[in-house]
Amino acid sequence: SHVFQLRSKCFCCSLNALFVLIFRSMKRCVLFGFLCAFVTCFLCGWQRSVQNPTFYPGRVNVTILLWYWPFGRSLSLKGDVCWDLYQIPSCKLVDQQSYFPTANVVVFHNKELVQGHQKLPVTLSRPPAQRWAWMSLESSAHNGNLQKFANIFNMTISYRRDADVPVPYGELLPVEREEQLAEDNFMNKSSLVCWVVSNYRSHYKRSQVYKELKAIVPVKVYGRWTKTPLSSEDLLPTISRCYFYLSFENSVAKDYITEKLWKNAYQGGAVPIVLGPPKRDYEAVAPPHSFIHIDEFSTAKELGTHLQQLTKDKKRYAEYFDWKKHWKVKVYTDWRERLCKICLMYNNLPQHKVYSDLQSWAVSLNNT
Ligand SMILES: *[C@@H]1O[C@H](CO)[C@@H](O)[C@H](O)[C@H]1NC(C)=O
Ligand SMILES: *[C@@H]1O[C@H](CO)[C@@H](O)[C@H](O)[C@H]1NC(C)=O
Ligand SMILES: *[C@@H]1O[C@H](CO)[C@@H](O)[C@H](O)[C@H]1NC(C)=O
């Protein structure tokens, strides 16, 4: 909408200039030229006010109340945040619990609820049209037992595509104009396979695969768990020096594809080797021919050999970056953006919905 605004501004300005020119060259009514200019200016101002709903007082706002901040880390909600930061109109984001009686949606982040650090306001009388939203970005294995939340929530906010408000860790956006790829951006490599891991547990599936792979090909490991921790500034430059990056999720769950793919691999500029949900989940959201799925190989040896072959064939390796001509990656990190997104979906939410068994929904695998 920024672009749109800029375009309409340019359009108005040129129109303006045109009027002034025409009437000046006719050496007649200069005053009339200015009058026209004034009218176009007025129209432009009006158009902007329609686009920016804060100039549009009658508009009804959707009020989203965040009952407490995820992980106790609060962010500023000053001004009209959804509009100012994300150009999402008519969306009032608040975190004062006193808004409860008028809030359209009340949002509860799962972790604090499940751990008992926060409680649902069950003693307050719940306005009939108000929706309570359950929010989590963790996989079902790390959500705890949700059985006690039966018949409470009206909507879900999750990375899952079948959530009422899907909030993925990242997504693709089309690039405006086809881009020429500068090959040296992704061809200056010094390591074959890299992995950044902060939380190593030997029972994780990913640790098994890592051990097997490392016996076949060199794997450079960084992160809190190792002797070579990596600062956040060094993360992407380090990954960019690797042909392949292990985008291994901590658990295998439907649609659970995190910043390990979107940020580390795609923004770092290495080809991701993914371990997580089935290949079709990746194909539904990731660029075509952009990743290597672990399931395509029956042994680590097979995978290792394939990787070595790819690095020897520059053309085939470069094909893994062709998607960058058409797509760019957007990574989501700000809770405010996820919450503002509720307003975009608000009018399409079902009139009445209750999650009678949230636990089953959270662990279900096949209801996309
Ligand atoms: C909606 O919110 C905006 C920004 O906070 C405010 O200016 C406007 O008056 C609100 N509209 C209504 C109807 O409350
Ligand atoms: C490749 O990376 C090295 C750092 O290891 C750097 O010195 C060199 O300039 C890079 N080459 C290109 C073409 O970017
Ligand atoms: C939300 O869930 C509650 C509790 O089950 C229910 O009473 C209420 O009707 C639901 N509201 C909507 C808008 O679905």
Side-chain angles (χ1 to χ4, degrees):
S1 64
H2 263 328
V3 176
F4 184 63
Q5 262 182 34
L6 203 65
R7 260 189 222 152
S8 67
K9 239 186 224 169
C10 286
F11 172 74
C12 289
C13 287
S14 352
L15 208 62
N16 222 324
L18 194 68
F19 274 125
V20 174
L21 265 179
I22 290 173
F23 288 104
R24 267 248 301 270
S25 68
M26 284 166 79
K27 291 213 164 77
R28 260 200 260 146
C29 204
V30 175
L31 194 69
F32 188 60
F34 280 116
L35 188 70
C36 286
F38 180 75
V39 169
T40 47
C41 270
F42 178 77
L43 283 176
C44 294
W46 172 76
Q47 200 178 354
R48 268 224 306 281
S49 77
V50 171
Q51 283 163 29
N52 185 342
T54 51
F55 295 144
Y56 202 63
R59 190 95 169 238
V60 179
N61 293 320
V62 174
T63 301
I64 311 290
L65 168 57
L66 180 63
W67 197 245
Y68 48 85
W69 283 90
F71 312 104
R73 290 181 220 127
S74 64
L75 297 165
S76 163
L77 297 182
K78 277 213 197 81
D80 186 352
V81 267
C82 293
W83 178 259
D84 297 344
L85 299 179
Y86 310 114
Q87 288 73 53
I88 294 175
S90 310
C91 192
K92 188 169 167 157
L93 191 56
V94 294
D95 59 0
Q96 291 108 310
Q97 297 187 346
S98 56
Y99 275 100
F100 182 84
T102 54
N104 301 98
V105 177
V106 186
V107 181
F108 303 92
H109 183 246
N110 178 64
K111 187 185 168 80
E112 292 78 10
L113 273 189
V114 136
Q115 294 185 342
H117 301 312
Q118 295 282 349
K119 286 196 169 58
L120 291 166
V122 282
T123 53
L124 297 180
S125 113
R126 213 168 140 171
Q130 186 176 80
R131 290 179 175 90
W132 284 15
W134 176 88
M135 178 166 76
S136 175
L137 289 183
E138 295 292 336
S139 70
S140 46
H142 294 94
N143 272 334
N145 190 337
L146 307 177
Q147 248 140 20
K148 56 178 175 273
F149 300 139
N151 288 308
I152 289 179
F153 292 102
N154 308 101
M155 53 189 280
T156 48
I157 305 171
S158 150
Y159 58 82
R160 276 172 56 161
R161 280 174 290 149
D162 60 349
D164 296 290
V165 179
V167 286
Y169 281 83
E171 71 182 345
L172 291 182
L173 299 176
V175 294
E176 303 235 331
R177 206 171 302 131
E178 184 165 319
E179 272 165 29
Q180 273 306 313
L181 293 183
E183 211 174 74
D184 41 320
N185 277 353
F186 53 87
M187 285 310 229
N188 191 10
K189 306 290 191 188
S190 54
S191 306
L192 183 67
V193 181
C194 301
W195 190 28
V196 176
V197 59
S198 52
N199 192 6
Y200 186 90
R201 308 250 175 93
S202 55
H203 70 270
Y204 281 172
K205 180 180 171 190
R206 66 183 185 191
S207 311
Q208 283 308 316
V209 176
Y210 158 70
K211 272 189 250 165
E212 285 169 31
L213 189 60
K214 157 179 98 147
I216 313 284
V217 293
V219 179
K220 272 219 166 145
V221 186
Y222 304 88
R224 233 189 306 146
W225 165 71
T226 66
K227 289 193 191 78
T228 40
L230 213 50
S231 69
S232 54
E233 305 89 75
D234 290 341
L235 179 71
L236 296 186
T238 304
I239 293 173
S240 75
R241 313 296 319 283
C242 314
Y243 280 97
F244 301 99
Y245 180 77
L246 302 184
S247 293
F248 284 10
E249 302 300 348
N250 64 22
S251 42
V252 175
K254 177 186 157 56
D255 290 339
Y256 188 61
I257 301 170
T258 69
E259 79 290 340
K260 295 174 180 69
L261 178 77
W262 296 110
K263 181 181 171 201
N264 298 12
Y266 286 154
Q267 292 192 333
V271 174
I273 300 169
V274 301
L275 182 158
K279 197 175 172 191
R280 61 167 191 277
D281 281 18
Y282 284 93
E283 283 168 339
V285 295
H289 197 64
S290 67
F291 63 89
I292 295 169
H293 198 292
I294 278 291
D295 291 352
E296 291 164 49
F297 304 89
S298 39
T299 63
K301 186 159 185 2
E302 217 179 277
L303 171 62
T305 310
H306 180 70
L307 300 183
Q308 276 165 332
Q309 280 168 355
L310 274 178
T311 57
K312 289 193 194 99
D313 187 342
K314 295 266 180 272
K315 190 168 159 292
R316 259 177 84 206
Y317 178 73
E319 283 169 4
Y320 279 91
F321 297 91
D322 277 350
W323 62 273
K324 294 197 175 204
K325 291 178 192 157
H326 306 285
W327 302 100
K328 61 182 177 215
V329 163
K330 167 157 180 154
V331 175
Y332 291 95
T333 52
D334 195 314
W335 287 102
R336 293 174 295 191
E337 184 162 20
R338 299 180 182 121
L339 293 163
C340 293
K341 229 173 156 191
I342 299 170
C343 291
L344 293 179
M345 314 293 289
Y346 186 77
N347 286 323
N348 297 324
L349 292 173
Q351 282 301 313
H352 182 86
K353 185 170 184 176
V354 179
Y355 279 82
S356 58
D357 187 353
L358 188 66
Q359 172 70 16
S360 306
W361 180 83
V363 300
S364 63
L365 291 170
N366 53 3
N367 51 352
T368 299

